[in-house]
Amino acid sequence: MAFLIRQTLIYAIPLMIVALAGIFSERSGTINLALEGIMIFGAFCGVVFVRGMQNLGWFAQAKADGNWMALQGYLLLAMLGAAILGAIFSLLLGFAAIKLKADQTIGGTALNMLAPAIVLFLIRLTAKQNTLLLVSGDSASWFLIKKTMLGFDKNQDIGVLGEAFLNKVYLTTYVCIIVFVILSVLLYRTKFGLRLRACGENPQAADSLGINVFKMRYAGVLISGALAGMGGFVFSVTTANCSSNGDVAGFGFLALAVMIFGNWKPLNVAGGALLFGLFKCIAACYSTLDVNGDGIYTLANIGINSNVYRLLPYLITLLVLMFTSKKSRAPKAEGIPYDKGMR
Amino acid sequence: MKSRESFRNSDSFRTLISSLISILIGLLAGAVIIFIVGLTNSSISFSGAVEGIKIVLFGVFSTGRSAGGALSFGFNPVNMGNLFFRAAPLVLTGLSVAVANKTGLFNIGAPGQYLAGTCASLFIALSIPSSRMAPGLIWLLALLGGMLAGALWGSIPGMLKAMLNMNEVIACIMTNWIAANLVTWLFDISKLKNTAEGTKTGYIYKTTYNGVATPKFGLDKIFAGSQINGGIIIAMILCVIMYVVMEKTTFGFQLKACGANRYAAKYAGIKDRRNIILSMAMAGAMAGAAGSLYYLSGNTEFFWSTYQSLPAEGFTGIAVALLAVNNPIGVIFSGIFMSMLNISGMQLTYLTAYNEYITDVIIAVIVYMSAFSLIIRTMLAGRKKNIAGANANAEPGKREQTLPDAREMASSSAAVKEKEA
């Protein structure tokens, strides 16, 4: 059970944070189809940062000192780097969509094509292969928090929830949850959030009240880019062993679907992300899934082809969207470039 | 003289210019990246960077390196033949995206439809023993089956859009990944996995294993040693058929009317739901044909475990269609251009320290630029109008009379949707 919760969170957290990225952009009025591309770019940048710090010998030093706090600090630093560079990358979309009033779907698609191309170009050029790996060790050995680090004894029983949330977890999970809560509050309980949402609903009205629509939309896209970049790196650390290969397995698109499923509202999105995270988790590790702890792998014994499990998250997304699409309500001005002269 | 003058002021001329500007900027961006990387990377010298740029531009004509180590250029039948061979699927996926775009739908589902077509074609081509049926007939059945499978797969997002008003982009993306997993599953439980050649794992038999292959129409004589076959000719024929359907028939007009304004079309008595579904089905059939033709060639092998990635041909199709501004005839040229970039990329990996992904960067930049092609065209029109206005009485309101293109259509239909809601 603890294993199931842990694994579900690993898949749900990137989805959740990237779906929030989509919310920020779309609530300010810009369709962000480029989430996938920004994730890929963010993952690459984060991995490059980690490699840089490894090359400087910081990691080995911290490990030798037994200073796992420092390692977590370096992880945070890399997350920050990925977020900043993700934001810069998303400016390409912002510039096209807001300043030049270009088609946002095409702009996003272009970024989705550009990110893997440029990332793979650079990786192949430097690493002579298609995957950029860590210099040494794997992401679990550097970043995984075990219960012994938190002062528990190795054989101490800390309960199912303790096992799920305190043993063998990544700091990224908690950072993402905190960021998610803070930004949700920002979106719904502050002046800035209200203004941002106004620009996605009725920019003309917002403008008439003295809000700078362009600035607000840029802010939305930048926050979106930062979150998606960070989400990409989190995905890479927790599921891809901190490597980058120009691919995030369609998580950016899945996050878009989660966002629509969650009706552009953070709380619903968090729920949706958990649901899809669960199915993704089942798809990834159904064969070693032992729900009630009796040593029997129930799902593996049913004998359903593994491809069915892999197919499920997407099929369920589609089915859920079928039932919710009638009720879904996108931000009204989403996708329409702001034109001062238009009524 | 008059006609030439009016052509230069026409919308299609401006469209052509804006596409050429997109290409130019894309190539420029690629050249700049090659240059910067060449100067900062110690293993690549200045001359290496220049060589890289040369290959990107003229890779098709590359004939390798001379004895002295310098790049040599000339007519290369293998490259040329492969150029046309690889162009066929790109032209068709481009056509797929273009057809859907005419109806105001963004068909990002081409990769899934491509896979559906591939899967159906391979099953038909390899399951019917050629001892029972003429290989030519099997080939035709396989191609038609592939198109049908693509059409069915494309009509799913079409139906979701028409009936439930679901965003077709999301529906397409989900059906893409479902197709990728479904195809893997079907081949996983099939008997078509290549076990005869022990060195290869994860591949399906070539269709020549059953004696089925696309006819070559003598093209292999011109481009000796290459993979070329009649696929490119079939692709061109399909483009012409689509052009006629879209531009010369009532049905095509109805589709375009739906794209311009779905609700106005409905008001005029056009069945908007039926047309949206049919448009996506046609788009799917074209993408399905792309997959069929590529794998029915007899010299390509399908890697069946596709669940982790989607075929790049589908996404390149978006670039092909955008560059051709959704013109069914235009996609022939833009498809061949993209294929040329592909060949250049392979030559780049083969001959220099760079790799083929730079051509993907160029394609992405071209797509990015085509997002503002409308602005470029408006700018060109404004400049022309100013000159004409200074000279004499220009034709007032000429631009307003021309049919708005798909992007204007899309935004106007979005605006109408909003008013309805």
Side-chain angles (χ1 to χ4, degrees), chain B residues 215-391:
Chain B
K216 292 193 187 293
F217 300 131
L219 286 169
D220 54 330
K221 305 272 188 318
I222 309 173
F223 305 106
S226 72
Q227 294 178 296
I228 194 164
N229 60 25
I232 183 72
I233 293 173
I234 297 165
M236 285 177 180
I237 292 171
L238 285 171
C239 283
V240 173
I241 292 175
M242 276 299 144
Y243 175 78
V244 172
V245 168
M246 283 319 240
E247 305 294 334
K248 307 288 178 204
T249 65
T250 322
F251 174 59
F253 183 78
Q254 287 188 353
L255 289 184
K256 283 191 289 183
C258 279
N261 188 332
R262 182 179 166 186
Y263 301 94
K266 193 177 175 187
Y267 184 69
I270 295 170
K271 288 184 178 128
D272 60 331
R273 289 184 171 176
R274 188 200 68 165
N275 281 333
I276 285 174
I277 297 171
L278 280 179
S279 166
M280 280 306 287
M282 281 198 321
M286 292 306 125
S292 298
L293 283 179
Y294 190 71
Y295 289 106
L296 282 175
S297 68
N299 47 27
T300 43
E301 284 172 293
F302 183 64
F303 183 74
W304 60 271
S305 191
T306 59
Y307 69 92
Q308 278 165 328
S309 60
L310 296 168
E313 282 85 354
F315 290 113
T316 313
I318 297 171
V320 170
L322 288 175
L323 193 57
V325 203
N326 304 319
N327 184 322
I329 302 294
V331 294
I332 298 175
F333 299 99
S334 58
I336 290 174
F337 173 73
M338 292 294 173
S339 171
M340 191 194 86
L341 280 183
N342 257 335
I343 300 284
S344 296
M346 290 194 308
Q347 295 292 321
L348 203 61
T349 315
Y350 179 56
L351 291 171
T352 70
Y354 296 99
N355 56 65
E356 73 264 29
Y357 294 107
I358 189 67
T359 56
D360 290 345
V361 174
I362 294 173
I363 292 173
V365 173
I366 290 173
V367 173
Y368 186 69
M369 287 315 297
S370 62
F372 350 107
S373 74
L374 191 65
I375 299 156
I376 299 176
R377 262 179 286 159
T378 320
M379 265 161 51
L380 287 171
R383 205 170 58 87
K384 287 271 155 56
K385 208 176 263 173
N386 285 347
I387 297 167
N391 285 346

Side-chain angles (χ1 to χ4, degrees), chain A residues 20-32 93-94 97-98 104 187 192-204 206 211-225 259 264 330-338:
Chain A
L20 185 71
I23 291 180
F24 263 89
S25 170
E26 306 223 340
R27 289 303 293 267
S28 73
T30 311
I31 294 179
N32 193 349
L93 176 72
I98 302 164
Q104 299 172 359
L187 193 62
F192 170 77
L194 183 67
R195 289 178 174 177
L196 189 101
R197 283 181 291 139
C199 292
E201 294 293 334
N202 193 338
Q204 278 79 15
I211 300 168
N212 188 335
V213 176
F214 295 113
K215 252 188 202 162
M216 278 297 160
R217 289 197 166 176
Y218 267 117
V221 170
L222 278 176
I223 294 175
S224 177
M259 177 193 73
W264 289 267
K332 268 192 181 165
E334 159 195 274
I336 306 164
Y338 178 57

Side-chain angles (χ1 to χ4, degrees), chain A residues 9 72 78 85-86 106-107 128 153 156 186 215 258 313 328:
Chain A
L9 274 184
Q72 299 299 331
L85 284 165
I106 300 173
K128 309 283 179 222
D153 192 61
Q156 192 177 347
L186 180 78
K215 252 188 202 162
V258 165
S328 85

Side-chain angles (χ1 to χ4, degrees), chain A residues 92 96 100 102-103 105-106 110 113-114 117 120-121 124-125 130 253 260 305 307 310 321-322 325 332 336, chain B residues 37 106 160 164 166 170 173 181 184-185 307 315 322 349 353 355-357 360 364 368 371-372 375 407 418:
Chain A
L92 279 175
L100 294 180
D103 188 289
T105 314
I106 300 173
M113 295 168 99
L114 184 63
L120 278 170
F121 176 68
R124 264 283 274 283
L125 211 60
N130 280 357
F253 291 127
I260 293 175
N305 193 300
N307 290 297
R310 287 201 205 101
L321 284 176
M322 265 168 71
S325 63
K332 268 192 181 165
I336 306 164
Chain B
V37 167
F106 187 60
L160 293 173
L164 300 170
M166 190 196 287
I170 282 295
I173 290 165
N181 285 288
T184 308
W185 183 20
Y307 69 92
F315 290 113
L322 288 175
T349 315
N355 56 65
E356 73 264 29
Y357 294 107
D360 290 345
Y368 186 69
F372 350 107
I375 299 156
R407 237 159 282 138
E418 188 194 291

Side-chain angles (χ1 to χ4, degrees), chain A residues 135-209:
Chain A
V135 176
S136 65
D138 55 9
S139 97
S141 70
W142 296 115
F143 302 128
L144 202 65
I145 301 173
K146 300 191 187 77
K147 61 181 171 186
T148 47
M149 293 174 178
L150 300 172
F152 294 107
D153 192 61
K154 200 170 183 187
N155 298 320
Q156 192 177 347
D157 184 21
I158 51 175
V160 170
L161 287 181
E163 280 289 333
F165 291 107
L166 293 176
N167 190 19
K168 295 183 190 166
V169 288
Y170 286 99
L171 183 67
T172 54
T173 306
Y174 301 106
V175 173
C176 283
I177 291 175
I178 292 167
V179 167
F180 187 88
V181 171
I182 292 174
L183 286 180
S184 304
V185 170
L186 180 78
L187 193 62
Y188 275 93
R189 293 281 180 269
T190 64
K191 207 159 64 180
F192 170 77
L194 183 67
R195 289 178 174 177
L196 189 101
R197 283 181 291 139
C199 292
E201 294 293 334
N202 193 338
Q204 278 79 15
D207 198 5
S208 75
L209 295 172

